Amino acid sequence: MRLVIARCSVDYAGRLTAHLPSAPRLILIKADGSVSIHADDRAYKPLNWMSPPCTLKEGADGEAGIWTVINKAGEKLIITMEEILHDSSHELGVDPGLIKDGVEAHLQELLADRIETLGEGYTLIRREYPTAIGPVDILCRDSDGATVAVEIKRRGEIDGVEQLTRYLELLNRDPHLAPVRGVFAAQEIKPQARVLATDRGIGCVVLDYNAMRGIEDDKLRLF
């Protein structure tokens, strides 16, 4: 991972345009190719970012210049450097991945055991299917024999969709699995996450934890 702290302005040019005026910011360049721009607030959320695969072209060494990040769709993140305050690189190695809480881990176990919840004719390939950036929760096949990667969350938010997107990009490089489509499954899926998933061709499934455990919901339902 490369960490750059710089006074810079940032412009995004793609399906829409956005501008960040000049200010000191943190630029994260990760080994997976992603580039994200951060301020000293907003917790983990970047001000702007470019998901992999993308390419970074830098200005001249030691000079204020323009860095251009371009993704496969031709969208650009243009970073105008005024002053670089810090620039360091660190080898983090392979991350062991997130240890899920009890409910999330149990959801994965239940869904693997009841894979037909995703649709008739679905069959399980395996849980925790390994990739270079961490394990996919569930890998399975649909009724047509196509490969499906499932990411499971207790609460589905945008970062979960981004995580599944990265898995799909890797899995689709494997000719034995491709084409691989994604399913984002959670007890609750935030509207913004659903919009992003839909835009990327990822299906969304809301999981009823109690029903999957075989516990009847005591609320009245209209069918």
Side-chain angles (χ1 to χ4, degrees):
M1 178 183 290
R2 184 177 174 191
L3 310 175
V4 178
I5 299 175
R7 179 172 290 277
C8 62
S9 60
V10 183
D11 292 276
Y12 170 80
R15 287 171 291 180
L16 48 82
T17 58
H19 175 71
L20 294 172
S22 176
R25 296 192 173 91
L26 168 65
I27 304 168
L28 291 183
I29 306 162
K30 295 187 179 181
D32 64 3
S34 63
V35 178
S36 56
I37 315 295
H38 297 260
D40 200 12
D41 63 1
R42 297 171 178 255
Y44 63 90
K45 294 184 178 180
L47 297 166
N48 214 327
W49 69 93
M50 193 70 81
S51 298
C54 56
T55 57
L56 169 62
K57 181 179 180 181
E58 300 183 27
D61 290 341
E63 298 180 6
I66 295 177
W67 292 13
T68 304
V69 187
I70 306 176
N71 67 10
K72 62 182 179 181
E75 299 168 317
K76 295 182 180 180
L77 199 62
I78 302 168
I79 307 169
T80 303
M81 296 290 192
E82 299 170 17
E83 181 183 8
I84 295 178
L85 306 172
H86 174 86
D87 189 345
S88 64
S89 296
H90 308 270
E91 181 59 53
L92 302 185
V94 178
D95 191 88
L98 179 69
I99 299 174
K100 302 177 186 296
D101 64 34
V103 171
E104 197 169 300
H106 197 205
L107 277 171
Q108 182 194 118
E109 181 182 345
L110 288 169
L111 186 57
D113 189 51
R114 300 160 176 78
I115 198 67
E116 67 279 358
T117 301
L118 298 176
E120 187 177 349
Y122 273 68
T123 56
L124 178 69
I125 296 176
R126 68 166 289 178
R127 292 170 54 194
E128 299 288 337
Y129 188 89
T131 77
I133 57 172
V136 178
D137 286 335
I138 289 178
L139 198 69
C140 58
R141 296 194 186 279
D142 63 18
S143 57
D144 296 322
T147 311
V148 181
V150 185
E151 180 63 26
I152 300 170
K153 300 292 183 187
R154 183 169 57 178
R155 183 168 62 182
E157 300 188 17
I158 284 177
D159 57 345
V161 179
E162 294 285 5
Q163 182 181 359
L164 179 54
T165 299
R166 294 192 292 270
Y167 287 145
L168 290 171
E169 287 169 351
L170 282 177
L171 292 169
N172 273 299
R173 297 176 191 174
D174 186 339
H176 298 292
L177 298 175
V180 185
R181 64 181 179 87
V183 170
F184 190 48
Q187 287 181 278
E188 172 194 1
I189 299 177
K190 295 293 185 180
Q192 299 92 333
R194 187 179 290 274
V195 169
L196 181 61
T198 301
D199 182 67
R200 295 184 177 179
I202 294 172
C204 291
V205 174
V206 175
L207 301 175
D208 186 329
Y209 183 54
N210 286 338
M212 292 174 69
R213 293 174 62 198
I215 300 174
E216 290 294 330
D217 191 339
D218 59 1
K219 296 180 181 178
L220 293 175
R221 298 183 182 181
L222 294 176
F223 294 93

